[in-house]
Amino acid sequence: MASIEVNPSAYHYQVGDISITAVMDGIAIRPIADGFIVNASLDSIKQAMNEALLSPHQIAITFTPVVVRTGRETVLIDTGYGDHGPATAGFLQSNLKIAGIDPTSVTKVVISHFHADHICGLILKNGNVQFPNAEILVPGPEWEFWMDDGEFSRVSGDIKSRFQLVRTVFAPLHDRLTHYNWGQEIVTGLTALEAPGHTPGHTGFAVCSGTERLVLLSDVTNHPALFVRNPDWSVVVDVDPDLARATRYRFLDMISSENLNVAGFHFPFPALGRIAREGDRYRLYPSQWMPLSKV
Ligand SMILES: [Zn+2]
C-alpha cells in the first residue's frame, strides 16, 4: 500500500483580540446513496453535488474543532473522533502540535453536543485522558437528554449504541464536568447560543471582541453544498428534524442579514466564511486563506 501523506491542517485567525485556531480532525467519506439525507430524492442530492462541482457519488464530511484563546484561557470547542472514528479522522492531536498548541495548556474543553465526532477526542479507547488540565463544559439540556435512563431504556439499535458511547466517554470525566446554559458567557467574549434540534441541547457560539464577531455554527448545518443550499434537508442524525430546520433558518437568516463571519464544524477546511441569501436559499462564500492571522 502506498504511504499516505497527511496535510498539516491548522489555521490561525483573529476576532478582535481573541485568537482562533481551526484545527482539523479529519474527514469521513460517505456514499451519497447511504441515506445520510432523509427527506430529499437521490436525484436532487446528486444535482446539488453537481451544482457544487463535487462528485455525485460520495462526499467528504470534515471535522474542524476550534481553539479560542483569550488573555487567560485556552478553550477547545469540540474534540473530533480521537481513536473511535474512521482511519481518515483522529488527527486533532497531531494538528494541535503543528499549530503550536500543547494539549496540557487547554484550560477548558467546551462541547457543542454529544455526537461521536464532537466528544470522542476527550479520551482514548484505552482510557487515556487527552486534555488532562481542562475543565469540561457541556450543555445542560444535552446532558439531561443523553443521561436520562428512561430515554435510554426506550431506544434501540444504533441509537442505543450512541447513548452507550456518550456514557462510556463521560464516565471517567465526571469530576471535571460542568454544565453551561444557553446565553451564558463561558469565558470573556465566548457566549453559548441556543441551537436545538440536531440534538436537544445542541449549541452554537458567538465570539465577540471589540466590533468584531464570529458565529460558530457547530452542526446547525452539515456540508454547506447540501445544507446551506437546501436548508430544508435533514441529516439522518437530527433528533428533532423540524426543530433543527427552524434553528437552521434562524441562524442562516441572522448570519446573512448581518453579514457575520461564520465557522461551521462540517464546512470544508478552514471551515470559515460568510453566507449570502439567494432567494429562498443560501450560499457559503469561503474566506480567502490568509498567510498571517492578522493583516
Ligand atoms: Zn457533527
Side-chain angles (χ1 to χ4, degrees):
M1 198 176 118
S3 67
I4 296 168
E5 289 182 18
V6 178
N7 282 319
S9 308
Y11 185 73
H12 302 289
Y13 55 100
Q14 288 287 131
V15 177
D17 293 332
I18 296 176
S19 306
I20 311 281
T21 307
V23 188
M24 197 186 198
D25 187 57
I27 60 171
I29 307 280
R30 293 193 74 128
I32 289 295
D34 74 347
F36 183 50
I37 303 172
V38 293
N39 61 342
S41 70
L42 196 51
D43 279 351
S44 53
I45 299 167
K46 286 185 173 178
Q47 190 186 334
M49 295 297 283
N50 282 327
E51 280 175 12
L53 307 183
L54 297 169
S55 162
H57 306 298
Q58 62 181 31
I59 188 163
I61 306 292
T62 54
F63 313 109
T64 302
V66 297
V67 176
V68 176
R69 280 182 283 188
T70 66
R72 276 184 218 103
E73 304 272 3
T74 297
V75 181
L76 172 67
I77 301 182
D78 290 337
T79 67
Y81 266 117
D83 61 355
H84 300 252
T88 47
F91 303 119
L92 176 72
Q93 292 290 340
S94 55
N95 281 324
L96 280 171
K97 201 173 203 178
I98 284 161
I101 299 169
D102 182 342
T104 64
S105 73
V106 173
T107 55
K108 290 182 166 59
V109 177
V110 177
I111 298 293
S112 69
H113 67 295
F114 287 0
H115 282 154
D117 49 329
H118 299 258
I119 62 171
C120 285
L122 281 167
I123 188 161
L124 296 181
K125 281 181 184 167
N126 67 9
N128 217 326
V129 171
Q130 297 295 277
F131 302 97
N133 300 321
E135 177 188 7
I136 299 159
L137 291 108
V138 301
E142 190 73 356
W143 183 266
E144 280 161 34
F145 174 71
W146 293 98
M147 296 300 164
D148 184 304
D149 287 334
E151 200 78 49
F152 186 51
S153 70
R154 286 189 289 277
V155 294
S156 59
D158 269 5
I159 300 179
K160 187 134 206 144
S161 50
R162 247 172 255 152
F163 272 80
Q164 189 53 62
L165 180 66
V166 167
R167 288 154 183 248
T168 303
V169 165
F170 286 115
L173 303 170
H174 276 218
D175 57 340
R176 295 165 52 202
L177 272 171
T178 309
H179 296 185
Y180 66 82
N181 298 310
W182 292 326
Q184 183 180 329
E185 192 172 32
I186 294 171
V187 297
T188 305
L190 175 70
T191 303
L193 302 177
E194 177 174 358
H198 181 59
T199 60
H202 179 265
T203 300
F205 303 92
V207 179
C208 303
S209 176
T211 57
E212 294 186 31
R213 273 176 83 190
L214 168 75
V215 172
L216 303 175
L217 282 177
S218 307
D219 284 20
V220 167
T221 97
N222 200 285
H223 196 294
L226 298 173
F227 302 98
V228 174
R229 291 299 285 154
N230 301 281
D232 284 334
W233 290 1
S234 300
V235 283
V236 63
V237 290
D238 278 351
V239 172
D240 183 339
D242 291 338
L243 183 57
R245 185 176 304 110
T247 292
R248 192 153 47 251
Y249 274 107
R250 179 165 58 82
F251 272 80
L252 290 172
D253 185 49
M254 181 255 297
I255 287 159
S256 57
S257 60
E258 296 180 33
N259 193 23
L260 298 174
N261 285 309
V262 63
F265 188 82
H266 296 298
F267 287 5
F269 195 75
L272 177 67
R274 293 191 185 222
I275 288 175
R277 186 172 191 151
E278 296 182 351
D280 56 359
R281 305 171 83 193
Y282 297 84
R283 186 189 295 276
L284 174 72
Y285 288 85
S287 293
Q288 182 174 341
W289 183 285
M290 301 297 273
L292 305 172
S293 65
K294 199 170 181 75
V295 289

